[in-house]
Amino acid sequence: ATLRECKVLSEANVKLLCDKAREVLINESNLPQVSCPVTVCGDVHGQFYDLIELFRIGGEAPDTNYLFMGDYVDRGYYSIETATLLVALKVRYPQRICILRGNHESRQITQVYGFYDECLRKYGTANVWSYFTDLFDYLPLAAVVANQIFCLHGGLSPNADTLDHVRALDRIQEVPHEGPLCDLLWSDPDERPGWGVSPRGAGFTFGCDISDVFVMTNNLTAIARAHQLVMDGFSWTHNQSVVTIFSAPNYCYRCGNKAAVMELDDCLNYTFIAFD
């Protein structure tokens, strides 16, 4: 109840929670299999009250199964409360909720975009930041829903063209500056074909031709990802083979965008639910 009221746990309890969560996550592969029905969510970015609204609209866990595709912290005012609630749900309902790693689940990025400073402000030390960022190293990199939809935070990598490549990566580390682990968390789809230099300074842009080959090679039907602000909360690209889902409404409390989640039923039929 405390967590849903946007209250922070004691430092000692955060450590206990992160220790428990590590025990759960260490047993998950880089690429967990997720079954339907499931509700797929994009970036949340510390917007705690919008996360509560997401659960109100999409259904509470564990009655609804959830797959979150990363970026729980930074930018918003309540990164600690947001991360704590999602990690607690993972520990409590490990089969009902899947939480993937986003590019913001890293030591370097959180020192720039707010999570580190929030931990210092609310706890007086950086210990809680350390507990969480150590835990983030254990988050899976991607998930496959019903063997058909590849879900991840960012996008594809020229160095990981099969699901087996993703499974074989050593994920338990800080997000590197380059290489497949970095690309999966940083890349973006693009209108231009082939691989391109990313304006983000990490990862790549990838064209429709790249998505087509990846989907075909791995016997998939689609790729779902987050990472980019889209004004309607969701946006299809690459001939309906790639969908971007963004779940932080009015991002940074000023962007004016809608948020959305993607509900997948038992037969993999999808419905988008948008909210403000």
Side-chain angles (χ1 to χ4, degrees):
T2 305
L3 297 185
R4 292 184 178 279
E5 292 161 5
C6 201
K7 295 195 169 82
V8 295
L9 296 180
S10 69
E11 188 180 306
N13 281 338
V14 172
K15 183 174 191 313
L16 284 172
L17 176 65
C18 288
D19 288 346
K20 203 86 183 130
R22 185 167 63 248
E23 291 170 20
V24 172
L25 293 172
I26 203 167
N27 291 314
E28 293 196 346
S29 79
N30 291 346
L31 188 64
Q33 297 282 341
V34 174
S35 51
C36 291
V38 65
T39 297
V40 184
C41 310
D43 298 25
V44 181
H45 277 305
Q47 296 183 199
F48 180 85
Y49 291 103
D50 295 317
L51 176 61
I52 296 297
E53 178 70 0
L54 184 161
F55 286 132
R56 194 184 69 77
I57 286 168
E60 297 293 340
D63 303 327
T64 301
N65 300 323
Y66 280 99
L67 168 55
F68 284 89
M69 298 188 291
D71 278 15
Y72 313 116
V73 298
D74 289 336
R75 307 276 194 190
Y77 298 147
Y78 307 102
S79 289
I80 295 166
E81 295 86 346
T82 301
T84 303
L85 178 57
L86 288 171
V87 169
L89 287 169
K90 178 64 189 176
V91 169
R92 179 68 182 83
Y93 308 113
Q95 305 305 316
R96 296 287 186 181
I97 184 164
C98 181
I99 50 175
L100 305 180
R101 192 172 193 176
N103 63 306
H104 280 261
E105 275 72 55
S106 88
R107 293 166 188 80
Q108 195 171 8
I109 297 294
T110 50
Q111 286 183 69
V112 178
Y113 291 102
F115 184 45
Y116 178 84
D117 294 330
E118 185 185 320
C119 291
L120 274 186
R121 193 169 69 249
K122 291 178 180 173
Y123 284 97
T125 80
N127 293 346
V128 163
W129 173 80
S130 294
Y131 301 149
F132 275 116
T133 52
D134 287 351
L135 176 66
F136 294 158
D137 288 346
Y138 290 83
L139 291 170
L141 305 175
V144 182
V145 177
N147 295 315
Q148 289 189 52
I149 303 178
F150 183 59
C151 301
L152 76 172
H153 182 69
L156 302 180
S157 171
N159 300 304
D161 50 10
T162 68
L163 299 183
D164 282 340
H165 284 166
V166 177
R167 289 187 186 100
L169 297 172
D170 172 18
R171 79 170 188 266
I172 300 172
Q173 55 173 307
E174 170 68 331
V175 180
H177 292 289
E178 57 186 21
L181 196 159
C182 166
D183 301 339
L184 295 169
L185 273 51
W186 280 93
S187 293
D188 295 299
D190 199 80
E191 297 308 308
R192 296 166 297 181
W195 297 102
V197 176
S198 173
R200 296 180 186 269
F204 291 87
T205 63
F206 58 98
C208 189
D209 53 334
I210 305 291
S211 298
D212 286 348
V213 170
F214 187 87
V215 165
M216 195 168 66
T217 301
N218 295 288
N219 297 313
L220 301 166
T221 53
I223 297 166
R225 42 88 64 177
H227 195 39
Q228 281 178 301
L229 168 67
V230 284
M231 291 307 289
D232 292 328
F234 71 97
S235 176
W236 286 99
T237 185
H238 292 183
N239 301 323
Q240 299 278 101
S241 68
V242 178
V243 64
T244 298
I245 302 166
F246 197 81
S247 303
N250 193 28
Y251 179 48
C252 296
Y253 310 110
R254 60 181 164 76
C255 288
N257 60 290
K258 283 188 159 66
V261 298
M262 178 171 73
E263 289 188 345
L264 294 166
D265 70 11
D266 289 320
C267 303
L268 268 190
N269 299 311
Y270 57 81
T271 309
F272 291 97
I273 302 180
F275 62 99
D276 292 312

